Amino acid sequence: MTRWRWLFALLCGLQVAAAQAATHRDDAGRQVELSAPPRRVITLAPNLTEFVFAVGAGTSLVGTVDTSLYPEAAKAVPRIGDHSRLDVERVLSLNPDLVLAWHHGNNGREIAQLEAAGVKFFYLEPRRLEDVPRALERIGALFGREAQGRAKADALRGRLEALRRRHANAAPVDVFYQAWPQPLMTLNGEHLVSDMMALCGARNVFADLPQLVPRLSVESVLAADPAVLLAPDLERQDGDTFRRDPSLPAFAQWLRFGSLTAVQRRWLYALPAATFTGQSPRVAEGAAALCGALDEVRRERAAAR
């Protein structure tokens, strides 16, 4: 009888181990095998930190980058550098069983050193709007928290769908998003910022450019003559509201072009950087800020007719 109990316990243990072991495909196209949900994790981008906390796995974090400031508990996680330079020795000393990295966004040389030392990486890069709730599900599965990941993803999809329905018949607005002033840069139609514009009933005037982050000339913006000029609000990273302030430094180079529709009408808006372009679980807040700004433009445009 004891022997049968021992065999039964062994089989149960093997079944549990098999259930916990899993292979996950990351955004670098690699198969990442995990024998169990990771317990010592390092994130190399602030939005990745947010994903981990969002599925309830924040206590597994043993290291992150300097810019991981949300949620509040993220500020207590030990720092291992920033996007431009990682402390390789510090990372190794923390003995992570998994590092979450931003595909195309982290320093390749330092990551190569860590991979050569045996550190396991999972790359994530939610580029389109629909990728963000999917990332919540993937992170949930990665940490053995599938139910939490699905619940967060469903809630996010619901908020985005509500905004989409509200603006399904909204009057179109031509928009230029200034990702960076010098050199002048924007985002094309393959980025989730462009998806957010479409959700709010707007059109990215540089959607058709081939590069994800194209460089522009001032002349190309003047030729496009967007009705609205957007920029990230670096002073106010968080939230779901916009700031209309032509005096912000981001807009300084445009005020001398009085022929530009956005300048004439003072339709220059700053949106909270972390929620608008952060590609994080708070993307619905950024979308709400954008839709709010564009709704104001539509009201003023209609009143002027």
Side-chain angles (χ1 to χ4, degrees):
M1 192 69 178
T2 302
R3 179 184 178 187
W4 288 113
R5 287 177 179 172
W6 180 83
L7 287 172
F8 180 75
L10 177 62
L11 288 172
C12 288
L14 290 173
Q15 288 175 345
V16 170
Q20 290 182 331
T23 300
H24 305 267
R25 185 177 181 85
D26 70 6
D27 285 342
R30 309 179 317 161
Q31 300 292 335
V32 180
E33 296 183 2
L34 296 174
S35 59
R39 296 182 180 275
R40 297 185 60 81
V41 178
I42 291 175
T43 53
L44 301 187
N47 65 329
L48 299 179
T49 304
E50 290 192 38
F51 279 115
V52 175
F53 274 100
V55 301
T59 56
S60 68
L61 291 176
V62 296
T64 189
V65 289
D66 294 345
T67 49
S68 287
L69 303 175
Y70 186 91
E72 186 66 24
K75 297 177 182 179
V77 179
R79 278 13 196 183
I80 49 83
D82 57 32
H83 75 282
S84 61
R85 185 180 184 280
L86 302 177
D87 186 337
V88 173
E89 294 301 321
R90 174 69 168 150
V91 172
L92 293 174
S93 72
L94 291 170
N95 192 30
D97 47 26
L98 187 68
V99 173
L100 295 177
W102 187 249
H103 191 38
H104 297 122
N106 291 119
N107 189 307
R109 179 179 59 82
E110 291 163 347
I111 287 180
Q113 291 175 343
L114 291 168
E115 288 186 319
V119 175
K120 185 171 291 187
F121 277 78
F122 185 88
Y123 292 93
L124 190 67
E125 186 176 4
R127 183 174 291 185
R128 307 308 298 259
L129 195 55
E130 64 268 20
D131 293 338
V132 180
R134 177 64 185 134
L136 282 165
E137 294 171 334
R138 294 169 70 192
I139 292 293
L142 201 66
F143 284 89
R145 295 173 174 268
E146 289 87 348
Q148 294 94 325
R150 282 195 301 270
K152 290 287 185 177
D154 289 344
L156 176 55
R157 290 189 181 104
R159 292 184 66 186
L160 293 173
E161 183 57 30
L163 286 170
R164 183 176 286 107
R165 288 197 302 268
R166 196 178 307 154
H167 295 86
N169 299 309
V173 180
D174 285 350
V175 175
F176 163 52
Y177 175 66
Q178 178 182 274
W180 198 253
Q182 295 294 336
L184 185 59
M185 303 171 77
T186 190
L187 298 168
N188 76 357
E190 296 179 7
H191 194 280
L192 65 79
V193 161
S194 197
D195 293 340
M196 291 162 74
M197 291 181 191
L199 178 146
C200 296
R203 184 181 75 89
N204 179 357
V205 296
F206 292 111
D208 294 335
L209 293 180
Q211 303 89 356
L212 182 67
V213 188
R215 291 195 178 192
L216 303 172
S217 65
V218 170
E219 290 74 20
S220 65
V221 177
L222 296 177
D225 191 24
V228 174
L229 199 160
L230 303 175
D233 192 339
L234 301 178
E235 297 177 8
R236 189 177 61 88
Q237 293 275 324
D238 305 321
D240 59 1
T241 57
F242 57 86
R243 182 154 59 132
R244 184 179 184 177
D245 187 355
S247 69
L248 290 174
F251 304 130
Q253 68 175 320
W254 302 110
L255 298 182
R256 60 193 174 97
F257 297 107
S259 62
L260 199 61
T261 300
V263 174
Q264 286 179 5
R265 302 300 303 272
R266 292 298 193 258
W267 288 335
L268 301 104
Y269 293 92
L271 302 175
T275 57
F276 184 60
T277 58
Q279 294 160 283
S280 80
R282 293 181 293 156
V283 70
E285 295 180 27
L290 173 61
C291 289
L294 296 176
D295 287 344
E296 181 174 89
V297 169
R298 294 185 181 101
R299 288 193 298 269
E300 293 184 7
R301 192 167 60 179
R305 288 173 181 166

